[in-house]
Protein backbone atom coordinates (compact mmCIF):
# COMPACT_ATOMS: atom_id res chain seq x y z
CA UNK A 1 0.00 0.00 0.00
CA UNK A 2 2.81 2.36 0.93
CA UNK A 3 4.61 1.48 -2.30
CA UNK A 4 1.53 2.26 -4.43
CA UNK A 5 1.06 5.58 -2.66
CA UNK A 6 4.73 6.51 -3.25
CA UNK A 7 4.56 5.68 -6.98
CA UNK A 8 1.39 7.73 -7.39
CA UNK A 9 2.99 10.67 -5.60
CA UNK A 10 6.06 10.49 -7.86
CA UNK A 11 3.90 10.45 -10.98
CA UNK A 12 1.89 13.44 -9.82
CA UNK A 13 5.04 15.40 -9.00
CA UNK A 14 6.65 14.63 -12.38
CA UNK A 15 3.53 15.76 -14.22
CA UNK A 16 3.43 18.97 -12.26
CA UNK A 17 6.97 19.91 -13.24
CA UNK A 18 6.91 18.71 -16.87
CA UNK A 19 7.35 21.55 -19.43
CA UNK A 20 4.23 22.29 -21.44
CA UNK A 21 4.80 22.86 -25.18
CA UNK A 22 2.94 25.83 -26.60
CA UNK A 23 2.25 26.87 -30.20
CA UNK A 24 3.97 23.72 -31.50
CA UNK A 25 2.36 21.75 -34.27
CA UNK A 26 2.71 18.02 -33.66
CA UNK A 27 1.81 15.35 -36.16
CA UNK A 28 -1.38 13.57 -35.08
CA UNK A 29 -0.39 10.35 -36.78
CA UNK A 30 2.86 8.49 -37.26
CA UNK A 31 1.58 7.41 -40.68
CA UNK A 32 0.21 10.79 -41.77
CA UNK A 33 2.51 11.08 -44.80
CA UNK A 34 2.05 8.76 -47.76
CA UNK A 35 4.21 8.17 -50.80
CA UNK A 36 1.45 9.65 -52.95
CA UNK A 37 1.51 12.88 -50.93
CA UNK A 38 5.30 13.16 -51.24
CA UNK A 39 5.03 12.59 -54.99
CA UNK A 40 2.30 15.22 -55.31
CA UNK A 41 4.33 17.79 -53.37
CA UNK A 42 7.50 17.07 -55.37
CA UNK A 43 5.64 17.53 -58.65
CA UNK A 44 4.09 20.77 -57.41
CA UNK A 45 7.26 22.34 -56.03
CA UNK A 46 10.26 20.53 -57.48
CA UNK A 47 11.73 20.18 -53.97
CA UNK A 48 13.75 17.13 -52.91
CA UNK A 49 12.09 14.01 -51.54
CA UNK A 50 13.44 14.37 -47.98
CA UNK A 51 12.49 18.06 -47.87
CA UNK A 52 8.96 17.15 -48.97
CA UNK A 53 8.67 14.38 -46.41
CA UNK A 54 9.93 16.62 -43.62
CA UNK A 55 7.54 19.47 -44.31
CA UNK A 56 4.60 17.11 -44.86
CA UNK A 57 5.24 15.60 -41.44
CA UNK A 58 5.30 19.11 -40.03
CA UNK A 59 1.86 19.82 -41.51
CA UNK A 60 0.22 16.42 -40.97
CA UNK A 61 0.19 15.57 -44.65
CA UNK A 62 -1.43 18.85 -45.76
CA UNK A 63 0.05 19.21 -49.25
CA UNK A 64 -1.19 22.76 -49.77
CA UNK A 65 0.24 24.04 -46.49
CA UNK A 66 3.48 22.17 -47.10
CA UNK A 67 3.80 23.71 -50.59
CA UNK A 68 3.33 27.20 -49.13
CA UNK A 69 6.01 26.53 -46.53
CA UNK A 70 8.44 25.34 -49.19
CA UNK A 71 7.66 28.44 -51.24
CA UNK A 72 8.55 30.67 -48.26
CA UNK A 73 11.80 28.78 -47.77
CA UNK A 74 12.50 29.16 -51.46
CA UNK A 75 12.15 32.95 -51.22
CA UNK A 76 14.65 33.02 -48.37
CA UNK A 77 17.03 30.80 -50.33
CA UNK A 78 16.72 33.01 -53.41
CA UNK A 79 17.53 36.12 -51.38
CA UNK A 80 20.66 34.47 -49.96
CA UNK A 81 21.94 33.42 -53.37
CA UNK A 82 21.08 36.64 -55.23
CA UNK A 83 24.53 38.17 -54.60
CA UNK A 84 26.40 35.28 -56.22
CA UNK A 85 27.72 35.80 -59.76
CA UNK A 86 25.53 34.17 -62.41
CA UNK A 87 27.39 34.41 -65.74
CA UNK A 88 26.46 31.07 -67.31
CA UNK A 89 23.02 30.30 -68.70
CA UNK A 90 20.90 30.07 -71.80
CA UNK A 91 19.39 32.32 -74.45
CA UNK A 92 15.87 31.34 -75.47
CA UNK A 93 13.64 32.68 -78.23
CA UNK A 94 9.93 32.89 -78.95
CA UNK A 95 7.65 34.59 -81.45
CA UNK A 96 4.12 35.91 -81.01
CA UNK A 97 2.58 37.62 -84.03
CA UNK A 98 5.21 39.80 -85.68
CA UNK A 99 7.28 40.15 -82.51
CA UNK A 100 10.31 37.91 -81.98
CA UNK A 101 12.28 38.01 -78.73
CA UNK A 102 15.47 36.75 -77.16
CA UNK A 103 15.64 36.30 -73.39
CA UNK A 104 18.87 35.69 -71.49
CA UNK A 105 18.52 33.63 -68.31
CA UNK A 106 21.60 33.19 -66.13
CA UNK A 107 22.83 30.67 -63.59
CA UNK A 108 26.16 30.06 -61.86
CA UNK A 109 27.47 26.94 -63.61
CA UNK A 110 27.52 25.36 -67.04
CA UNK A 111 26.14 22.18 -65.46
CA UNK A 112 22.91 23.91 -64.42
CA UNK A 113 22.75 25.73 -67.78
CA UNK A 114 22.27 22.29 -69.35
CA UNK A 115 19.66 21.19 -66.78
CA UNK A 116 16.24 20.41 -68.23
CA UNK A 117 14.36 22.37 -65.56
CA UNK A 118 16.47 25.47 -66.18
CA UNK A 119 16.01 25.11 -69.93
CA UNK A 120 12.22 24.89 -69.61
CA UNK A 121 12.25 27.95 -67.35
CA UNK A 122 14.19 29.96 -69.96
CA UNK A 123 11.78 28.84 -72.70
CA UNK A 124 8.75 29.87 -70.61
CA UNK A 125 10.37 33.25 -69.93
CA UNK A 126 10.87 33.80 -73.66
CA UNK A 127 7.26 32.92 -74.46
CA UNK A 128 6.04 35.27 -71.74
CA UNK A 129 8.29 38.05 -73.10
CA UNK A 130 7.00 37.57 -76.65
CA UNK A 131 3.45 38.03 -75.36
CA UNK A 132 4.27 41.46 -73.91
CA UNK A 133 4.21 44.71 -75.85
CA UNK A 134 7.49 46.01 -74.39
CA UNK A 135 10.91 44.90 -73.17
CA UNK A 136 10.12 45.91 -69.58
CA UNK A 137 11.78 43.46 -67.15
CA UNK A 138 9.40 44.23 -64.30
CA UNK A 139 6.43 43.38 -66.50
CA UNK A 140 8.12 40.15 -67.57
CA UNK A 141 8.82 39.02 -64.00
CA UNK A 142 5.18 39.69 -63.13
CA UNK A 143 3.85 37.83 -66.18
CA UNK A 144 1.68 34.75 -65.62
CA UNK A 145 3.40 31.42 -66.24
CA UNK A 146 1.20 28.41 -65.52
CA UNK A 147 -0.78 30.21 -62.84
CA UNK A 148 2.22 31.76 -61.05
CA UNK A 149 4.29 34.84 -61.77
CA UNK A 150 7.60 34.27 -63.54
CA UNK A 151 9.34 35.67 -60.45
CA UNK A 152 7.68 33.03 -58.21
CA UNK A 153 8.72 30.31 -60.64
CA UNK A 154 12.27 31.68 -60.58
CA UNK A 155 12.56 31.67 -56.79
CA UNK A 156 11.14 28.16 -56.68
CA UNK A 157 13.78 27.03 -59.15
CA UNK A 158 16.51 28.65 -57.03
CA UNK A 159 15.30 26.58 -54.08
CA UNK A 160 15.19 23.39 -56.13
CA UNK A 161 18.54 23.74 -57.96
CA UNK A 162 20.52 25.63 -55.35
CA UNK A 163 22.07 28.29 -57.59
CA UNK A 164 21.46 31.96 -58.20
CA UNK A 165 19.16 32.15 -61.23
CA UNK A 166 18.30 35.43 -62.92
CA UNK A 167 16.33 36.68 -65.92
CA UNK A 168 18.82 39.23 -67.18
CA UNK A 169 17.44 40.90 -70.30
CA UNK A 170 15.03 40.92 -73.22
CA UNK A 171 15.87 41.82 -76.81
CA UNK A 172 13.07 42.12 -79.36
CA UNK A 173 12.42 43.05 -82.96
CA UNK A 174 9.50 43.31 -85.32
CA UNK A 175 5.83 44.11 -85.62
CA UNK A 176 3.09 43.19 -88.04
CA UNK A 177 4.67 45.31 -90.80
CA UNK A 178 8.08 43.60 -90.86
CA UNK A 179 9.51 40.09 -91.03
CA UNK A 180 11.62 38.67 -88.22
CA UNK A 181 13.43 35.49 -87.36
CA UNK A 182 15.96 34.20 -84.84
CA UNK A 183 18.85 31.82 -84.52
CA UNK A 184 20.32 30.40 -81.29
CA UNK A 185 23.80 28.89 -81.41
CA UNK A 186 24.56 26.32 -78.70
CA UNK A 187 22.15 28.14 -76.35
CA UNK A 188 24.84 30.80 -75.85
CA UNK A 189 24.60 33.19 -78.81
CA UNK A 190 21.26 34.61 -79.88
CA UNK A 191 20.54 36.67 -83.01
CA UNK A 192 17.42 38.46 -84.21
CA UNK A 193 17.13 39.71 -87.79
CA UNK A 194 14.45 42.08 -89.09
CA UNK A 195 13.82 42.70 -92.78
CA UNK A 196 11.30 44.19 -95.18
CA UNK A 197 9.67 41.45 -97.26
CA UNK A 198 11.17 37.98 -97.33
CA UNK A 199 10.34 35.19 -94.89
CA UNK A 200 11.16 34.16 -91.34
CA UNK A 201 13.33 31.39 -92.78
CA UNK A 202 15.35 33.99 -94.68
CA UNK A 203 15.82 35.92 -91.43
CA UNK A 204 17.05 32.76 -89.71
CA UNK A 205 19.56 32.14 -92.52
CA UNK A 206 20.96 35.64 -92.15
CA UNK A 207 20.92 35.32 -88.36
CA UNK A 208 23.16 32.26 -88.65
CA UNK A 209 25.61 34.39 -90.62
CA UNK A 210 25.51 37.10 -87.92
CA UNK A 211 26.17 34.52 -85.20
CA UNK A 212 29.24 33.29 -87.07
CA UNK A 213 30.70 36.56 -88.39
CA UNK A 214 29.66 39.02 -85.65
CA UNK A 215 29.37 42.18 -87.81
CA UNK A 216 29.43 45.52 -86.01
CA UNK A 217 26.72 47.18 -88.11
CA UNK A 218 23.78 46.15 -90.30
CA UNK A 219 24.37 48.66 -93.14
CA UNK A 220 26.76 51.52 -93.79
CA UNK A 221 23.98 53.94 -92.89
CA UNK A 222 24.05 52.49 -89.36
CA UNK A 223 27.71 53.37 -88.79
CA UNK A 224 27.96 56.41 -86.47
CA UNK A 225 29.89 59.33 -87.95
CA UNK A 226 32.27 59.36 -84.97
CA UNK A 227 33.19 55.71 -85.63
CA UNK A 228 34.08 56.53 -89.23
CA UNK A 229 36.18 59.52 -88.22
CA UNK A 230 37.94 57.52 -85.51
CA UNK A 231 38.83 54.78 -88.00
CA UNK A 232 39.93 57.34 -90.61
CA UNK A 233 42.22 59.03 -88.09
CA UNK A 234 43.71 55.66 -87.11
CA UNK A 235 44.35 54.70 -90.73
CA UNK A 236 45.83 58.11 -91.56
CA UNK A 237 48.29 57.73 -88.71
CA UNK A 238 49.20 54.28 -89.99
CA UNK A 239 50.18 55.44 -93.47
CA UNK A 240 51.51 58.91 -92.59
CA UNK A 241 55.09 57.66 -92.29
CA UNK A 242 55.06 56.02 -95.72
CA UNK A 243 56.57 59.14 -97.30
CA UNK A 244 54.01 59.09 -100.11
CA UNK A 245 52.35 62.28 -101.46
CA UNK A 246 49.33 63.57 -99.55
CA UNK A 247 46.89 62.73 -102.35
CA UNK A 248 48.14 59.14 -102.47
CA UNK A 249 47.84 58.89 -98.67
CA UNK A 250 44.21 60.09 -98.86
CA UNK A 251 43.39 57.44 -101.46
CA UNK A 252 45.10 54.76 -99.38
CA UNK A 253 43.12 55.79 -96.28
CA UNK A 254 39.80 55.82 -98.13
CA UNK A 255 40.55 52.42 -99.65
CA UNK A 256 41.34 50.91 -96.27
CA UNK A 257 38.30 52.61 -94.73
CA UNK A 258 36.10 51.08 -97.43
CA UNK A 259 37.61 47.68 -96.63
CA UNK A 260 36.89 48.20 -92.92
CA UNK A 261 33.24 48.97 -93.68
CA UNK A 262 32.93 46.01 -96.04
CA UNK A 263 34.29 43.69 -93.36
CA UNK A 264 32.12 45.04 -90.56
CA UNK A 265 28.77 45.88 -92.21
CA UNK A 266 26.48 42.87 -92.46
CA UNK A 267 25.07 43.54 -95.94
CA UNK A 268 28.60 43.99 -97.38
CA UNK A 269 29.95 40.74 -95.98
CA UNK A 270 30.22 37.59 -98.09
CA UNK A 271 27.35 35.30 -97.14
CA UNK A 272 28.93 32.35 -95.30
CA UNK A 273 26.50 29.64 -96.44
CA UNK A 274 27.24 30.12 -100.16
CA UNK A 275 30.50 32.10 -100.10
CA UNK A 276 29.72 33.44 -103.58
CA UNK A 277 27.66 36.59 -102.97
CA UNK A 278 27.17 39.33 -100.40
CA UNK A 279 24.40 39.27 -97.84
CA UNK A 280 22.91 42.27 -99.65
CA UNK A 281 22.75 40.28 -102.90
CA UNK A 282 21.26 37.28 -101.10
CA UNK A 283 18.50 39.46 -99.63
CA UNK A 284 17.75 41.08 -102.99
CA UNK A 285 17.45 37.69 -104.67
CA UNK A 286 14.77 36.82 -102.11
CA UNK A 287 12.84 40.08 -102.37
CA UNK A 288 13.98 41.49 -99.03
CA UNK A 289 15.76 44.51 -97.59
CA UNK A 290 17.75 44.68 -94.36
CA UNK A 291 16.32 46.66 -91.45
CA UNK A 292 18.59 45.54 -88.62
CA UNK A 293 19.80 42.82 -86.30
CA UNK A 294 20.44 42.22 -82.60
CA UNK A 295 23.12 39.84 -81.32
CA UNK A 296 23.60 38.89 -77.67
CA UNK A 297 25.78 36.36 -75.90
CA UNK A 298 25.39 34.66 -72.52
CA UNK A 299 27.30 36.43 -69.77
CA UNK A 300 28.76 39.26 -71.88
CA UNK A 301 29.53 42.24 -69.69
CA UNK A 302 29.28 40.25 -66.44
CA UNK A 303 32.45 40.28 -64.38
CA UNK A 304 33.19 36.71 -63.41
CA UNK A 305 34.69 35.88 -60.06
CA UNK A 306 38.15 34.30 -60.15
CA UNK A 307 37.71 31.05 -58.24
CA UNK A 308 40.27 29.95 -55.67
CA UNK A 309 39.74 26.18 -55.71
CA UNK A 310 41.76 25.49 -52.54
CA UNK A 311 39.83 28.12 -50.58
CA UNK A 312 36.53 26.81 -51.97
CA UNK A 313 37.30 23.25 -50.79
CA UNK A 314 38.38 24.54 -47.39
CA UNK A 315 35.18 26.55 -47.10
CA UNK A 316 33.06 23.54 -48.00
CA UNK A 317 34.92 21.38 -45.47
CA UNK A 318 34.23 23.97 -42.80
CA UNK A 319 30.53 23.97 -43.66
CA UNK A 320 30.46 27.56 -44.90
CA UNK A 321 28.71 26.84 -48.21
Amino acid sequence: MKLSFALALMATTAAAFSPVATNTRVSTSLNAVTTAQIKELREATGAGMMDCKKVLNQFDGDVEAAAEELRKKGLATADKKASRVAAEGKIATAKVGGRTVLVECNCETDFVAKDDSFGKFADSAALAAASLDSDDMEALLGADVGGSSLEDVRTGLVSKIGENIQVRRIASRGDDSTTTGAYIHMNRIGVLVEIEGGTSELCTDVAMHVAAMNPLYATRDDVPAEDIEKERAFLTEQVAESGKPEEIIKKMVEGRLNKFLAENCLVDQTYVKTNDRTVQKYLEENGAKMIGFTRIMVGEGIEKKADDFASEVASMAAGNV
Side-chain angles (χ1 to χ4, degrees):
M1 184 73 176
K2 290 181 179 179
L3 179 60
S4 299
F5 177 76
L7 290 173
L9 180 61
M10 290 172 63
T12 303
T13 303
F17 287 95
S18 295
V20 178
T22 58
N23 296 325
T24 301
R25 183 160 189 160
V26 181
S27 177
T28 57
S29 170
L30 293 176
N31 299 313
V33 178
T34 66
T35 302
Q37 289 171 322
I38 294 174
K39 182 175 183 292
E40 181 182 353
L41 185 59
R42 287 194 73 189
E43 290 176 349
T45 65
M49 183 176 70
M50 294 309 297
D51 288 334
C52 289
K53 184 177 181 181
K54 182 178 179 181
V55 77
L56 280 168
N57 275 320
Q58 181 183 347
F59 288 93
D60 293 337
D62 187 332
V63 175
E64 186 175 339
E68 179 63 19
E69 179 68 10
L70 286 173
R71 190 185 75 82
K72 291 176 182 176
K73 288 181 178 179
L75 289 173
T77 302
D79 288 341
K80 286 182 180 179
K81 297 183 185 299
S83 62
R84 290 169 22 179
V85 176
E88 297 294 334
K90 173 182 177 177
I91 294 173
T93 186
K95 184 174 184 176
V96 174
R99 173 179 162 87
T100 304
V101 303
L102 300 173
V103 171
E104 179 184 354
C105 293
N106 297 117
C107 56
E108 296 177 46
T109 64
D110 182 58
F111 178 78
V112 167
K114 297 174 182 176
D115 179 80
D116 188 54
S117 297
F118 178 80
K120 289 179 179 177
F121 170 74
D123 291 340
S124 66
L127 184 58
S131 302
L132 300 174
D133 57 4
S134 74
D135 292 349
D136 182 65
M137 285 299 302
E138 186 175 347
L140 175 58
L141 292 174
D144 180 80
V145 177
S148 300
S149 71
L150 183 65
E151 175 64 8
D152 284 346
V153 176
R154 183 192 70 82
T155 55
L157 193 59
V158 171
S159 179
K160 174 186 176 183
I161 291 180
E163 285 196 7
N164 181 19
I165 292 171
Q166 297 291 332
V167 183
R168 185 186 180 199
R169 54 180 165 172
I170 309 169
S172 68
R173 279 193 171 271
D175 53 41
D176 292 334
S177 67
T178 62
T179 306
T180 57
Y183 171 70
I184 308 292
H185 183 72
M186 302 292 288
N187 290 331
R188 297 188 60 82
I189 297 174
V191 180
L192 296 175
V193 167
E194 183 178 11
I195 58 178
E196 292 179 9
T199 63
S200 293
E201 291 75 16
L202 178 61
C203 288
T204 299
D205 281 346
V206 176
M208 290 175 68
H209 173 99
V210 174
M213 302 306 294
N214 194 18
L216 299 177
Y217 318 101
T219 71
R220 296 194 181 203
D221 291 339
D222 296 320
V223 185
E226 56 267 30
D227 286 8
I228 293 178
E229 289 309 312
K230 181 179 178 181
E231 187 65 20
R232 181 179 281 114
F234 170 76
L235 293 171
T236 300
E237 187 177 342
Q238 261 191 343
V239 300
E241 298 178 1
S242 65
K244 297 183 183 299
E246 186 175 344
E247 287 303 313
I248 299 297
I249 288 177
K250 284 183 180 180
K251 288 182 180 180
M252 290 174 64
V253 168
E254 292 307 310
R256 294 184 185 187
L257 182 60
N258 187 64
K259 182 181 178 183
F260 168 80
L261 294 173
E263 289 175 348
N264 290 284
C265 292
L266 170 60
V267 295
D268 289 324
Q269 291 180 336
T270 300
Y271 181 48
V272 293
K273 287 185 73 174
T274 63
N275 208 34
D276 62 358
R277 71 200 78 177
T278 64
V279 172
Q280 177 70 31
K281 184 67 174 176
Y282 180 60
L283 289 170
E284 290 174 352
E285 290 172 350
N286 288 275
K289 181 181 178 182
M290 174 58 59
I291 294 176
F293 70 87
T294 302
R295 185 184 190 273
I296 64 174
M297 187 166 64
V298 167
E300 60 186 350
I302 297 176
E303 185 176 351
K304 294 185 180 182
K305 178 183 176 183
D307 293 325
D308 183 339
F309 184 69
S311 298
E312 182 180 347
V313 172
S315 179
M316 291 176 68
N320 294 330
V321 177

